[in-house]
Amino acid sequence: MKDTYRERIKEEQKKLSPQQVFFSEGYQRLFQHLADEVAGEKLEQLLLYQNASDGIAGWNDGKRIGINVDNTITGSFLELEQKSDSLVGILGHECGHARFTDSRLRRVYIQKMQAGIWYPDAPEPENEDEESALAEINTYLTRKDPAVLSLLTECASYISNLLNDVYIEEKMCSLFPGSIKKGILVNRRRNVEWIPPLKELLEGNPDPVSVFLKVLVQYALRGYVNSWNMESCEMLDTLNEVKQLVDLSVEADSDPIRYQTTNRILLKMWKYFRKLLEELKQECREPEENGEQQQETQEQPLEKKRPRRNS
């Protein structure tokens, strides 16, 4: 009889859409109470909204927290209970930012990088190759090279945010070892599952910067890299050089340490940036060369058709 009753409940649950559950008054009230508890202070506003196209799972602006019910991660789970766990994990993540992230300092770091300035300090090279790489980077920074500044800033923002995400999630898992921790870990596993094995990444992507960033995400979130079909490669060697940096930075109760770690990782990645920049320069040259050839081809018949001047 009990089994039949439970089965009937499950069947009724299957008829409910996520929107019916997550936008119900009872669920939103529950979510608000949970947010007030884990954020450390009462929030001015908690927003549950639906947008399948913005690519954002959640956000906070210091006063408000927004949770996108229709985000890709949550949407990838089949059961309502799993979807709810995922949303609770996103809430825990955003509340972690409210508790532990210094947003002002993050803006300073990004602004400095955009201006070509290392902050809080330039990375210290560990060998001759890194000394040469640092000198090369500093030349670009001094010249305010727009392509390099844009690329470095984008990657610096990505890496520093990754390290900060892991830091605040570890803090929240420690403070709230129940549903918050469960939800955070559920989302982490799903994020890592979507990243292909390293061999597949290397074969399918000519951009070494983006490949290494995916490898870095795997290690930062789960502590390992999906490289089961590769014994070794140069990229794994680079990852081994930064593993300890990542481990120490995500444990440190200091945002400047994570920005300094980001700078050191950028230095070790410079060989990948160099390769990417060379490819971009080549792509820029080709249209110019093609344009010159096309112009010469067009000018020849024009010369023949030019009317003769009357003497």
Side-chain angles (χ1 to χ4, degrees):
M1 186 68 179
K2 289 183 179 179
D3 291 340
T4 304
Y5 180 67
R6 288 175 180 172
E7 289 299 324
R8 286 170 59 189
I9 292 177
K10 289 181 180 179
E11 288 302 317
E12 290 300 316
Q13 287 177 335
K14 289 178 182 179
K15 298 177 183 178
L16 295 172
S17 69
Q19 289 73 20
Q20 285 177 297
V21 175
F22 301 139
F23 289 105
S24 67
E25 183 179 345
Y27 192 88
Q28 294 200 46
R29 186 166 56 248
L30 174 66
F31 230 59
Q32 181 68 59
H33 290 326
L34 184 59
D36 290 341
E37 178 183 352
V38 300
E41 58 184 19
K42 190 167 184 179
L43 299 169
E44 290 189 8
Q45 192 174 14
L46 172 67
L47 304 173
L48 287 177
Y49 69 98
Q50 189 175 2
N51 189 331
S53 61
D54 70 0
I56 297 174
W59 52 266
N60 90 80
D61 61 7
K63 297 180 180 180
R64 301 176 302 161
I65 285 179
I67 307 295
N68 181 8
V69 171
D70 210 8
N71 73 84
T72 306
I73 300 172
T74 302
S76 70
F77 295 106
L78 299 179
E79 302 292 334
L80 269 173
E81 184 177 350
Q82 294 173 315
K83 292 179 184 291
S84 181
D85 289 340
S86 174
L87 292 177
V88 170
I90 295 168
L91 175 66
H93 178 96
E94 297 306 330
C95 288
H97 279 306
R99 275 177 171 263
F100 302 111
T101 296
D102 188 335
S103 299
R104 182 200 62 81
L105 191 61
R106 175 170 174 76
R107 287 193 295 272
V108 169
Y109 176 70
I110 298 303
Q111 289 167 359
K112 292 286 187 180
M113 184 60 73
Q114 288 173 331
I117 301 170
W118 292 109
Y119 180 85
D121 297 297
E124 293 185 9
E126 297 179 352
N127 51 53
E128 291 184 2
D129 287 341
E130 290 187 7
E131 287 178 3
S132 175
L134 182 60
E136 191 175 350
I137 297 172
N138 286 338
T139 299
Y140 282 110
L141 297 184
T142 301
R143 291 203 314 240
K144 311 296 184 189
D145 186 286
V148 174
L149 286 179
S150 175
L151 188 55
L152 283 178
T153 301
E154 182 180 354
C155 290
S157 176
Y158 186 90
I159 295 170
S160 61
N161 187 62
L162 171 65
L163 298 179
N164 186 58
D165 280 351
V166 176
Y167 167 72
I168 61 108
E169 285 186 352
E170 292 296 329
K171 297 288 283 187
M172 294 301 286
C173 287
S174 178
L175 285 172
F176 305 100
S179 59
I180 293 294
K181 180 177 181 178
K182 180 181 179 182
I184 285 173
L185 297 182
V186 159
N187 291 334
R188 274 197 193 184
R189 283 194 293 270
R190 183 48 49 93
N191 272 314
V192 172
E193 286 170 359
W194 283 337
I195 302 176
L198 178 55
K199 187 174 183 180
E200 188 176 328
L201 286 172
L202 291 170
E203 292 173 348
N205 194 335
D207 176 4
V209 173
S210 65
V211 171
F212 187 79
L213 291 178
K214 287 182 173 66
V215 170
L216 191 65
V217 168
Q218 283 186 324
Y219 179 76
L221 294 183
R222 297 290 286 164
Y224 65 86
V225 174
N226 187 355
S227 57
W228 63 271
N229 52 356
M230 296 185 70
E231 290 186 4
S232 63
C233 72
E234 185 275 338
M235 195 161 284
L236 287 176
D237 294 337
T238 304
L239 178 67
N240 287 331
E241 293 178 15
V242 305
K243 279 182 178 179
Q244 187 176 13
L245 297 175
V246 172
D247 294 342
L248 292 175
S249 72
V250 299
E251 295 175 358
D253 292 330
S254 167
D255 283 348
I257 287 179
R258 276 179 284 285
Y259 296 129
Q260 188 66 51
T261 297
T262 299
N263 293 343
R264 294 182 67 183
I265 293 174
L266 290 174
L267 177 60
K268 292 181 181 295
M269 286 180 63
W270 180 248
K271 53 195 169 188
Y272 306 133
F273 288 113
R274 185 189 293 121
K275 181 178 179 181
L276 183 60
L277 289 169
E278 289 171 356
E279 292 174 354
L280 290 173
K281 288 178 182 177
Q282 182 61 33
E283 289 175 3
C284 290
R285 280 195 215 102
E286 289 176 356
E288 291 177 1
E289 293 172 356
N290 293 337
E292 290 173 0
Q293 293 175 356
Q294 186 177 3
Q295 184 176 0
E296 290 175 1
T297 305
Q298 291 173 344
E299 286 177 352
Q300 287 178 355
L302 287 175
E303 184 66 24
K304 293 179 181 177
K305 294 179 181 178
R306 185 179 301 161
R308 294 174 63 184
R309 292 176 57 190
N310 293 325
S311 55

